[in-house]
Amino acid sequence: MENNKKRRGMKEIRAYAKQRPKVFTVYVILRLLVVAVLVRSAMLKEYESMFVCLLVLVLFMLPSFLERKLKIELPDTLEIIILVFIFAAEILGELECYFIQYPNWDTILHTTSGFLCAAIGFSLVNLLNKDNRISLSLSPLYMAIAAFCFSMTIGVLWEFIEFSADRLFLLDMQKDTVVHTISSVMLDETNRNIPIVIQDIQSTAVNGVAEIHSQILKDD
């Protein structure tokens, strides 16, 4: 029984590789790179990085899983973009610190995700349009509006997730490393609820940093 399952699995993999060689090649290359990072993280005992690598490996299987369960077929270009986006966000962005090394990395990913979500939304609506079992027929204009709304909704929900993670778990998913302008009524000395704006902030100082560093040195 186990041998038969293995043979079926190998046949399915070979058939998939023949049908979609570009997607299969990108999938294998990215997966090998993630495994290499996983091995390196294990050698360095970086357990959080190991968890991220395992999560990425699971996310890589998500497009094919949805295709089998929903009985749909994503365009090759869309699936490749999804795989590359996951790798760029988690492995390069988080583990390789591209978010810090390249200031525009987060902007690039957010822009890409916007177009990506719009393409996914358009594809989903298009599949419903073509399904004979569903009495739905939308014009191209309505399909474009639906794709736009889907993309905006996913983007807003993701911002909620980032904000919640930063507030509850003290992470920095929003990557707000430098704030150049602030506006707050707390700075109004007259207490008249007037927002005071401070622009062109070049540097900041945090009270208590010296004490924290000295305490760390004492503990060492």
Side-chain angles (χ1 to χ4, degrees), residues 179-182 198-203:
V179 178
H180 297 286
T181 303
I182 62 173
I198 301 178
Q199 298 178 340
D200 299 327
I201 299 175
Q202 301 297 327
S203 62

Side-chain angles (χ1 to χ4, degrees), residues 20 23 72 107 118 149 181 183 187:
R20 311 178 72 179
V23 177
I72 60 176
T107 303
C149 293
T181 303
S183 176
L187 300 175

Side-chain angles (χ1 to χ4, degrees), residues 78 115-130 139-148 150-151:
L78 179 60
F115 287 106
L116 184 61
C117 290
I120 293 174
F122 187 88
S123 299
L124 292 176
V125 176
N126 190 40
L127 289 171
L128 294 177
N129 254 358
K130 293 181 178 179
S139 66
L141 176 61
Y142 279 101
M143 290 181 64
I145 294 175
F148 175 79
F150 179 83
S151 175

Side-chain angles (χ1 to χ4, degrees), residues 32 34 59 62 68 122 132 140 153 159 163 178 187 193:
L32 290 175
V34 175
L59 292 177
L62 188 60
R68 290 196 302 269
F122 187 88
N132 296 326
T153 302
E159 292 298 328
F163 178 80
V178 179
L187 300 175
N193 200 33

Side-chain angles (χ1 to χ4, degrees), residues 4 29 55 58 62 91 101 128 148 160-161 184 191 217:
N4 291 334
I29 293 174
L55 177 62
V58 173
L62 188 60
I91 301 300
Q101 297 180 20
L128 294 177
F148 175 79
F160 286 163
I161 293 174
S184 175
N191 295 324
L217 293 175

